[in-house]
Amino acid sequence: MSTIFQKIINKEIPADILYEDDLCLAFRDVAPQAPTHFLMIPKKEVLNVAALEDGDKDLAGHMLLMIRDVAKKLGLENGYRVVANCGQEGGQSVDHLHFHVLGGRNMKWPPG
Ligand code: AMP
């Protein structure tokens, strides 16, 4: 079944898109948990980090580099947090791989 993120990729529902290329898409989280909160997702259907395959090496690396670039563009020069919730115990609610990028405030550790 098509996830909400697949609908965003297909432009069937709107999103505040920050970056897009052939491999990935970055858009602002609809329920931000920090002054800046965006998601980086692959256009390819991948469930989560655990479902990445060895052949996804370039895709996974590319997403991290594009996170670096978008974070820089948004002025997160004081730092930020990159989080991927994976599976039920990881707190994943949307079944399409996504990296949360949170910044603009001091983060706490450990997360809940
Ligand atoms: P997770 O709980 O790690 O699976 O994160 C899913 C994230 O997707 C949450 O932070 C939601 O706020 C976010 N989200 C859900 N629907 C949308 C949407 N239509 N546009 C942007 N972000 C969304």
Side-chain angles (χ1 to χ4, degrees), residues 25-101:
L25 184 66
F27 52 95
R28 289 189 195 275
D29 197 294
V30 78
Q33 301 301 312
T36 298
H37 183 179
F38 70 88
L39 303 172
M40 176 65 75
I41 69 171
K43 287 193 170 173
K44 176 184 170 182
E45 264 190 63
V46 180
L47 177 61
N48 53 30
V49 169
L52 280 166
E53 297 173 349
D54 291 351
D56 294 322
K57 199 183 286 183
D58 287 349
L59 173 65
H62 179 71
M63 283 194 290
L64 279 176
L65 292 175
M66 294 309 102
I67 283 171
R68 173 200 65 187
D69 288 355
V70 175
K72 187 172 182 189
K73 193 173 82 177
L74 295 179
L76 298 178
E77 65 276 347
N78 292 328
Y80 50 91
R81 179 169 290 172
V82 182
V83 178
N85 297 325
C86 179
Q88 190 187 338
E89 291 195 0
Q92 181 175 6
S93 65
V94 178
D95 287 340
H96 185 115
L97 174 62
H98 49 284
F99 292 97
H100 295 260
V101 183

